[in-house]
Amino acid sequence: MFTCKERVVRDGRLVCFAGQVMSEEEAEALGLAGGPASPGEAPKAPTISDLKAELDELGVAYDKRAKKGELEELLKAAKSAQPAPDPDEGGDPADPDDPEGDE
């Protein structure tokens, strides 16, 4: 048996309430048990506010009335378009050709 430790709401829908008891199979089907998360805790999906904040941080423009799925797609596209971090960025003091070096 599985007992929900806290109220879980996803996409505006109640998934379980604190103290709710259900079978392990039911909990797994709802994404509350099993998988990569620690037992008894559901992975927390980002909220629309979380997605908008991350898009703002990346400087991505979006429609303020956009649905969650649209924001997720924009964020996914923005992250895939970002170049990989340069391991040489920041300056290497041992590199004589590096203008940011400390020598």
Side-chain angles (χ1 to χ4, degrees), residues 30-82:
L30 292 171
L32 298 170
S38 59
E41 287 188 31
K44 304 242 190 246
T47 64
I48 290 175
S49 296
D50 294 337
L51 295 168
K52 287 181 176 181
E54 197 164 350
L55 287 167
D56 288 340
E57 191 175 299
L58 294 171
V60 177
Y62 57 88
D63 182 347
K64 301 297 182 197
R65 297 170 291 165
K67 302 284 185 208
K68 186 174 184 178
E70 296 168 319
L71 296 171
E72 289 171 333
E73 287 299 316
L74 280 171
L75 186 57
K76 182 179 175 184
K79 285 183 174 181
S80 66
Q82 284 186 330

Side-chain angles (χ1 to χ4, degrees), residues 1-2 4 8 10 14-16 20 22-36 40-43:
M1 294 305 284
F2 176 85
C4 243
V8 178
R10 291 193 193 124
L14 180 65
V15 176
C16 76
Q20 181 176 353
M22 63 184 80
S23 68
E24 289 290 332
E25 293 80 23
E26 211 176 352
E28 286 179 28
L30 292 171
L32 298 170
E41 287 188 31

